[in-house]
Amino acid sequence: MYFRHLKDPSSLWPGLSASELTRRQFLKLTTIAGAGLTLGTMLPEGASAAAGAPLATPFVRIDPDNTVTVVSKHVEAGQGVWTGLPAIVADELDASWDQMRVESAPAKVPLYGNFAFDPKGSVQGTGGSTAVANSWMQLRQAGATARAMLVQAAAAQWKVPAGDITVSEGVVAHAASGKKATFGELASRAATLPVPTDVKLKDPSQFKIIGRDKLPRLDSHAKSFGKQQFAIDVMLPGMMTAVVMRPPRFGGKVVSFDATKTKAVPGVVDVVQIPRGVAVIGRDMWAAKKGREALQVTWDESAAETRGTDQIMTEYKQLAGRPEAVTAAKAGDADANLKSAAHTLDAEFEFPYLAHAPMEPLTAVCQLSPGKCEIWAGCQFQTIDQVNAAAASGLKPDQVVINTLAAGGTFGRRANAESDYIAEVASIAKASGGKYPVRLIWTREDDVTGGRYRPMNYHHITAGLSKDGKIVAYKQRVVGQSIMAGTPFAAMMKDGVDPTAVEGHAGEQYDLDNVHVTWSQPKSAVPVLWWRSVGHSHMSFSKEVVIDELAEAAGKDPVAFRLALLEKHPKHAGVLKLAAEKAGWDKPFPKGKGRGRGIAVQESFGTVVAQVAEITVKGDTITVDRVVCAVDCGIAVNPDVIRAQMQSGIGYGLSAALHGKITMTDGHVDQTNFHQYTVLRINEMPRVIEVYTVPSTNPPTGVGEPGLPPIAPAVANAVRAATGIKLRKLPFDLAAARTAKA
Amino acid sequence: MPIKLTVNNQSHELDIDPDMPLLWAIRDHLQLTGTKFGCGMALCGACTVHIDGQATRSCVTPVSAVVGKSVTTIEGLGTPSGKAIQDAWVNLDVPQCGYCQSGQIMSASALLAGNAKPTDSDIDSAMAGNICRCATYARIRNAIHEAATALPGAPAGTKG
Ligand code: FES
Ligand code: FES
């Protein structure tokens, strides 16, 4: 996701003000923030200092039972924030890792706002690989503050100077007197003390937990024993289950429906119309599902998308040849230099729609009571979800309680401006009169056919080389729907360009003198959304494939050719060199037997990743044997989570490269479930994945998305090295590309 | 007529449609939510349980088909191979979002129960029915090897 261009975010969601802190508190917070401190140090209003009370700050709570609970404003969707955020606090606090716990924050801005989205923290949400980067200083401050208060409490209790007290592994100690206490023993007294505003943070060389290689995840046990609660697992007394019949084509609307047969299905409780379709409510999922199968709905499809994806792609190609486009990046004069180039390259790329298909299909639970709406979901945009649930239930945002649960994957799907599934469940609860709590479950078919896809894209690149093999011109036309246009995020578009449509282009990533990147925005009723790594998911592909082909045309080694273009990008260069070195790039790769090796590099969300892919082509099948991955994400907060996220990005990216496509015929989505929307399975996961981290003292940047963009181009480049076949259409179809070449 | 089910060694009588998939009976009626819904078509493995020890997709198994049989869910997994698998899962931090992992663990423990020393290819074929969108596959492989090594009777000094 991309939020760095947010100009005046407070205007985007007018309803947000209702859930903000009071003006006085807000000023206090911003004053503290302005003085160089962060917000983790405020005692909540009315915090009790009685005996047995915890030491509670908005981000850390130390209970008398000696547990330290970190309040996570970010959703845990697998990316490891429930481990990364506690690690940051635990280190500054000198806690023992065993005593760390984590819980989700309520929806509240700016207190729990994402300051990487915008400096005011007007939106609470997770995305753009920002969680650790955004929490880094805030949580270090929170940990250090709590530590200082514990030390003060011990000093007062033992009547010794605070400066003589040490803290280590969760024990506060005074060596001279031999006195010792746990955090839990000191918590209540510490809670009575004034909150210090001048705590000192550790020097990175003193970190003990941050950077520890095998720091156990806090959620592994629950997730290995079936005990992690997801939204789909919420069971409230009297709760009913709903499924929704939605328009068969995007943009369709309900005209009327006949529920006679549905209501005859045993266990069906009610059938209600909501803005997005017709909901069938049953006493269990089976009843709701069977009820929906019997439902008859008449649709108004006058505004529906009726084209197929083949036709849409044909239109994209036509649009690429027309002048209607906005400039996303321009330097020098690409046109003139292209004309005088010694060698030119002309390449077209096609990318399909992609569904996120998180393992947990979209699910949300809603309970309405007078003046209150309570939501349980794997919320990725808490305060936006709050506003949308309020609108759907006819309440005010501050009457909506958001319970953020672990999400069974999201990859961007749960973060959308309309909060589609959350608005739906609130609408259903309202339409059924709030008589019972409602759990809405999307089936896999609902998910795969439900839109909010990664946009289809067409890229046309023309590039020129000089006689001595230097890139003298790089032109790219991108055609793809805007994610932001028509949503409140449109305020983040600059000069008519949706940054998420073109992010990661060659002009950003390499030192090029003559670049021109333009973007055309076709319209469609197919809703699109950020999909893991967003624009980088396609922009990195065409760029890294073209750069590789240019290297070949120039007769240069792909790594050396790139390094020559990265003088002003030392981070890219460092990562590329590390990947090449660990992969043994300097040694010739054994040719023949369909084997090939390729490389790609991409910066996304502040993190640079390079990958070397070694592949085997047999018949029309590509097997990825080994991936060597290097990453620079600043200080490695949790090396094992970084490794896991690189593996995950590689697997998710490979899934899209080898299989992923949503197509439509006459506006109907052709795929419905995993037999048609095929995804990577264990037998296709590379047997060897090595991950290396560039040592760094820079503040941490994210790892949830950046592992993905390089894998597809690295594999395509390896296939070209092995076979000469140019893969320029996703997902890869070796047979088709072979025919096209012949 | 009530349906009689034995789940995790406990018997239950449920007044439900005999066609109801076992998945929804154990989730919605027995409130055992460790078993997950992912596709409803035997395509993803999230709903895997053991029926008389066999890994089975509960989303396509009608409750009428398991009357008189013994159903084990992740909550009741207590076999030596199951325990070894779960320990290895925690030890190697396999889960990411965790949603697929109950199903992965039920499939992996059934694999180990029948094959004490699976090779990578054995793992690929036994586990290919379980999708993980977080792509924890590399760690799943390693964890199965680790569990195999930890099980009594595993050849000494073997490492996957
Ligand atoms: S839910 Fe049963 S296999 Fe997917
Ligand atoms: S851990 Fe997320 S789907 Fe497997």
Side-chain angles (χ1 to χ4, degrees):
Chain A
M1 248 170 295
Y2 202 95
F3 292 94
R4 310 227 164 88
H5 290 266
L6 201 54
K7 275 276 147 53
D8 181 16
S10 54
S11 63
L12 297 185
W13 285 277
L16 286 181
S17 56
S19 61
E20 282 176 4
L21 302 178
T22 64
R23 187 173 161 71
R24 194 182 57 81
Q25 285 172 308
F26 181 77
L27 285 176
K28 209 166 151 196
L29 286 166
T30 45
T31 313
I32 293 174
L37 291 172
T38 43
L39 313 183
T41 55
M42 300 286 297
L43 283 171
E45 240 175 323
S48 156
L55 169 58
T57 71
F59 291 99
V60 189
R61 192 180 67 242
I62 301 177
D63 279 288
D65 69 0
N66 204 32
T67 55
V68 176
T69 303
V70 172
V71 180
S72 172
K73 62 183 184 179
H74 293 288
V75 66
E76 173 59 86
Q79 81 281 37
V81 287
W82 278 1
T83 303
L85 302 187
I88 298 170
V89 172
D91 206 319
E92 289 289 352
L93 188 57
D94 282 312
S96 146
W97 186 242
D98 296 339
Q99 70 189 136
M100 299 308 293
R101 306 286 183 271
V102 65
E103 68 187 30
S104 289
K108 197 168 194 176
V109 285
L111 183 61
Y112 296 120
N114 188 328
F115 292 84
F117 287 2
D118 78 276
K120 289 189 201 158
S122 349
V123 172
Q124 183 176 343
T126 302
S129 298
T130 56
V132 163
N134 166 239
S135 299
W136 175 242
M137 289 308 286
Q138 201 170 43
L139 291 186
R140 287 181 68 193
Q141 197 79 42
T145 302
R147 183 189 190 279
M149 292 169 83
L150 293 170
V151 168
Q152 280 303 331
Q157 192 164 322
W158 301 335
K159 304 199 170 35
V160 300
D164 294 348
I165 289 175
T166 58
V167 186
S168 175
E169 286 290 317
V171 178
V172 183
H174 181 252
S177 66
K179 287 195 159 65
K180 274 185 178 144
T182 65
F183 291 178
E185 286 161 357
L186 294 166
S188 301
R189 182 182 262 262
T192 65
L193 300 174
V195 179
T197 53
D198 57 348
V199 294
K200 214 169 145 305
L201 300 183
K202 283 185 178 177
D203 182 84
S205 64
Q206 299 170 295
F207 288 151
K208 290 194 186 112
I209 292 177
I210 292 167
R212 190 185 289 176
D213 192 35
K214 285 292 289 176
L215 191 68
R217 283 182 73 122
L218 292 185
D219 51 357
S220 282
H221 191 274
K223 288 176 175 177
S224 302
F225 284 79
K227 290 191 179 135
Q228 181 66 56
Q229 192 185 41
F230 300 90
I232 201 168
D233 304 329
V234 172
M235 296 283 165
L236 300 176
M239 184 182 78
M240 299 294 165
T241 299
V243 294
V244 173
M245 176 91 103
R246 298 179 188 79
R249 294 197 266 207
F250 298 111
K253 289 205 160 47
V254 178
V255 175
S256 61
F257 66 93
D258 178 356
T260 321
K261 287 191 190 130
T262 300
K263 287 191 169 158
V265 172
V268 168
V269 176
D270 205 353
V271 180
V272 296
Q273 188 172 343
I274 60 167
R276 289 157 208 271
V278 180
V280 178
I281 305 168
R283 71 167 185 159
D284 52 37
M285 178 63 172
W286 184 238
K289 228 180 130 208
K290 283 189 76 169
R292 183 171 72 170
E293 281 162 20
L295 187 67
Q296 314 227 293
V297 184
T298 309
W299 303 99
D300 168 9
E301 296 196 311
S302 55
E305 176 61 81
T306 56
R307 291 173 297 171
T309 37
D310 284 348
Q311 188 188 339
I312 293 174
M313 187 53 81
T314 305
E315 291 175 18
Y316 281 15
K317 290 178 186 172
Q318 289 161 356
L319 187 51
R322 292 206 298 267
E324 304 97 274
V326 285
T327 290
K330 191 165 168 43
D333 190 340
D335 280 314
N337 282 282
L338 202 54
K339 285 200 191 91
S340 58
H343 173 88
T344 58
L345 182 148
D346 190 294
E348 298 173 69
F349 295 86
E350 297 178 29
F351 304 89
Y353 284 125
L354 290 173
H356 306 70
M359 250 359 262
E360 180 196 17
L362 299 177
T363 307
V365 176
C366 177
Q367 179 160 35
L368 284 184
S369 50
K372 188 177 170 194
C373 169
E374 191 161 4
I375 299 284
W376 289 261
C379 295
Q380 203 181 342
F381 265 178
Q382 287 84 352
T383 50
I384 295 172
D385 296 342
Q386 190 178 39
V387 169
N388 286 319
S393 59
L395 294 170
K396 295 203 219 56
D398 61 3
Q399 295 173 302
V400 176
V401 176
I402 296 282
N403 300 288
T404 302
L405 304 181
T410 170
F411 316 113
R413 180 62 184 85
R414 295 173 209 273
N416 66 83
E418 295 174 305
S419 309
D420 55 354
Y421 69 111
I422 288 170
E424 282 179 359
V425 77
S427 300
I428 298 166
K430 178 150 192 271
S432 54
K435 289 196 285 283
Y436 32 70
V438 177
R439 173 181 62 167
L440 166 70
I441 300 179
W442 284 45
T443 61
R444 181 59 61 193
E445 290 79 6
D446 296 338
D447 173 59
V448 172
T449 62
R452 300 188 195 278
Y453 303 131
R454 194 285 302 274
M456 256 177 88
N457 258 268
Y458 170 75
H459 297 179
H460 184 197
I461 298 177
T462 40
L465 287 175
S466 62
K467 264 209 294 295
D468 56 350
K470 297 223 163 62
I471 300 177
V472 291
Y474 190 102
K475 272 185 74 179
Q476 180 172 16
R477 171 70 72 93
V478 177
V479 182
Q481 278 168 264
S482 171
I483 295 170
M484 290 180 167
T487 78
F489 294 104
M492 294 143 101
M493 291 172 65
K494 220 178 135 211
D495 302 326
V497 179
D498 179 340
T500 68
V502 292
E503 60 191 348
H505 58 73
E508 273 175 13
Q509 307 260 339
Y510 287 110
D511 311 338
L512 296 173
D513 295 333
N514 303 292
V515 187
H516 195 191
V517 181
T518 53
W519 173 59
S520 305
Q521 186 199 145
K523 295 281 192 305
S524 168
V526 180
V528 291
L529 192 60
W530 14 70
W531 178 98
R532 199 175 193 176
S533 83
V534 201
H536 298 279
S537 72
H538 50 94
M539 293 299 291
S540 74
F541 184 79
S542 54
K543 167 182 66 78
E544 285 301 289
V545 165
V546 162
I547 292 288
D548 221 65
E549 290 185 23
L550 289 171
E552 190 182 338
K556 304 254 173 71
D557 170 74
V559 172
F561 186 74
R562 284 178 173 83
L563 286 174
L565 293 168
L566 289 170
E567 268 167 35
K568 295 192 195 104
H569 293 81
K571 213 158 112 179
H572 284 73
V575 172
L576 195 64
K577 279 187 208 158
L578 181 62
E581 178 206 318
K582 296 293 184 184
W585 190 270
D586 55 335
K587 290 175 215 71
F589 193 69
K591 284 262 174 207
K593 296 204 174 125
R595 303 217 63 217
R597 177 171 72 176
I599 193 164
V601 60
Q602 182 81 1
E603 172 170 14
S604 57
F605 315 100
T607 294
V608 182
V609 178
Q611 286 161 6
V612 174
E614 297 178 3
I615 60 103
T616 304
V617 172
K618 205 171 176 188
D620 291 329
T621 307
I622 303 164
T623 304
V624 181
D625 307 307
R626 178 184 183 218
V627 178
V628 176
C629 173
V631 48
D632 185 343
C633 56
I635 291 171
V637 172
N638 189 328
D640 201 47
V641 166
I642 294 168
R643 276 193 291 274
Q645 283 312 296
M646 292 302 118
Q647 293 168 346
S648 177
I650 289 164
Y652 200 82
L654 208 48
S655 186
L658 298 177
H659 303 288
K661 67 171 177 211
I662 292 288
T663 58
M664 299 187 307
T665 306
D666 301 332
H668 291 279
V669 175
D670 297 323
Q671 296 75 21
T672 60
N673 206 319
F674 288 124
H675 58 311
Q676 294 157 327
Y677 189 64
T678 46
V679 297
L680 192 89
R681 292 172 184 269
I682 194 168
N683 54 309
E684 291 179 320
M685 189 72 175
R687 287 276 167 93
V688 181
I689 297 181
E690 298 163 35
V691 178
Y692 302 95
T693 309
V694 176
S696 171
T697 50
N698 292 324
T701 50
V703 292
E705 298 169 272
L708 186 147
I711 189 63
V715 170
N717 292 337
V719 169
R720 203 183 78 256
T723 63
I725 295 169
K726 293 172 179 166
L727 294 169
R728 289 174 175 173
K729 189 174 170 182
L730 279 280
F732 299 152
D733 182 341
L734 214 45
R738 208 189 296 275
T739 319
K741 188 193 168 205
Chain B
M1 223 187 43
I3 298 271
K4 280 192 197 156
L5 288 181
T6 306
V7 180
N8 301 335
N9 294 322
Q10 289 203 344
S11 33
H12 303 269
E13 288 204 2
L14 295 175
D15 183 19
I16 53 173
D17 180 355
D19 288 341
M20 180 185 290
L22 177 61
L23 171 67
W24 299 113
I26 55 187
R27 286 186 54 85
D28 288 359
H29 291 271
L30 301 181
Q31 316 226 315
L32 291 169
T33 56
T35 307
K36 302 300 189 211
F37 163 62
C39 71
M41 282 181 70
L43 298 166
C44 77
C47 65
T48 306
V49 298
H50 294 172
I51 296 178
D52 291 341
Q54 292 285 326
T56 308
R57 311 295 182 222
S58 64
C59 68
V60 291
T61 307
V63 283
S64 57
V66 294
V67 173
K69 299 189 175 166
S70 168
V71 177
T72 306
T73 69
I74 183 89
E75 289 90 347
L77 182 64
T79 56
S81 66
K83 204 187 157 326
I85 286 285
Q86 285 175 305
D87 288 349
W89 244 245
V90 174
N91 199 23
L92 297 189
D93 278 334
V94 173
Q96 290 189 23
C97 83
Y99 192 79
C100 73
Q101 298 297 346
S102 296
Q104 304 280 2
I105 286 167
M106 296 310 280
S107 291
S109 57
L111 163 67
L112 268 199
N115 178 351
K117 193 79 184 90
T119 62
D120 276 347
S121 306
D122 295 339
I123 292 172
D124 281 358
S125 40
M127 301 299 292
N130 288 78
I131 294 172
C132 175
R133 287 292 281 154
C134 301
T136 60
Y137 300 127
R139 289 188 186 198
I140 287 174
R141 250 184 228 142
N142 292 344
I144 293 174
H145 287 308
E146 180 170 304
T149 319
L151 271 181
T158 50
K159 259 269 171 241

